[in-house]
């Protein structure tokens, strides 16, 4: 599967791609700045309850309090973060929701170590439109091992963004 590129998104709502591109850039930039509170601020806090599903936890994190504990653990453990996310697909759903899939390449360095842990993950976001922007309601992430020139490697620099 060499040379894979994301399919062209066909938004059902004008401005969907621009809004998601802005959200993805902000997400990546907040990680780069280790602004964990800023990352948390991209999430819905009330209704519907936010949900995070990641390989590092045996069960989903449900609700703002569980996510706050997650963000607190991360803030105390990370000394460096690089995240580069690429929009793969997007669609508008009924009731002010949207769903998108991202390919996220990341590298994290923890406190007490100079060793970076790098990889790539597929991320699915369920988003809720609040005012003029989307907030993350549901984040499901699974690490992926890509090959054939599509591999994760280290994420590119913070100014590189290949979202459509």
């Amino acid at each position: 599967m060499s040379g894979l590129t994301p399919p062209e998104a066909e938004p059902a709502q004008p401005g969907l791609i621009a809004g998601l591109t802005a959200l993805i850039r902000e997400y990546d930039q907040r990680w780069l700045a280790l602004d964990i509170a800023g990352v948390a601020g991209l999430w819905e806090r009330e209704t519907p309850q936010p949900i995070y599903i990641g390989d590092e936890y045996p069960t989903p994190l449900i609700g703002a309090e569980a996510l706050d504990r997650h963000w607190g653990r991360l803030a105390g453990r990370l000394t460096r973060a690089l995240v580069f996310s690429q929009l793969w697909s997007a669609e508008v759903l009924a009731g002010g929701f949207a769903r998108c899939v991202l390919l996220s390449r990341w590298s994290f360095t923890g406190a007490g170590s100079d060793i970076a842990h790098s990889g790539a993950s597929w991320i699915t976001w369920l988003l809720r439109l609040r005012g003029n922007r989307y907030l993350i309601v549901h984040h499901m992430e699974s690490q992926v091992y890509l090959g054939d020139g599509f591999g994760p490697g280290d994420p590119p620099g913070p100014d590189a963004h290949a979202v459509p």
Side-chain angles (χ1 to χ4, degrees):
M1 301 187 91
S2 181
L4 285 177
T5 58
E8 292 294 316
E10 295 182 18
Q13 174 184 331
L16 174 68
I17 299 302
L20 294 181
T21 299
L23 176 62
I24 292 165
R25 283 193 177 137
E26 184 175 359
Y27 176 82
D28 289 355
Q29 290 168 352
R30 291 197 182 274
W31 277 112
L32 177 65
L34 287 178
D35 179 4
I36 304 301
V39 172
L42 301 175
W43 284 72
E44 172 64 59
R45 297 210 36 97
E46 304 210 3
T47 304
Q49 287 191 80
I51 298 174
Y52 173 86
I53 300 174
D55 293 339
E56 72 273 30
Y57 289 108
T59 60
L61 302 180
I62 300 173
E65 289 179 18
L67 282 169
D68 287 345
R69 286 189 298 274
H70 168 70
W71 302 127
R73 281 190 297 272
L74 287 177
R77 293 180 180 168
L78 294 177
T79 58
R80 185 170 181 256
L82 291 174
V83 176
F84 170 75
S85 304
Q86 182 179 12
L87 182 62
W88 193 261
S89 69
E91 67 181 306
V92 173
L93 305 174
F97 288 92
R99 175 178 50 215
C100 68
V101 175
L102 313 174
L103 177 60
S104 186
R105 292 174 172 96
W106 45 266
S107 180
F108 295 109
T109 305
S113 174
D114 291 335
I115 299 171
H117 298 279
S118 300
S121 297
W122 285 112
I123 296 174
T124 300
W125 278 348
L126 178 62
L127 305 161
R128 174 76 188 246
L129 189 60
R130 292 287 187 204
N132 62 351
R133 71 177 296 176
Y134 282 101
L135 294 176
I136 303 165
V137 172
H138 186 279
H139 172 116
M140 184 169 178
E141 180 173 348
S142 182
Q143 191 168 355
V144 64
Y145 302 93
L146 302 169
D148 296 324
F150 194 58
D154 285 332
D159 296 328
H161 287 276
V163 289

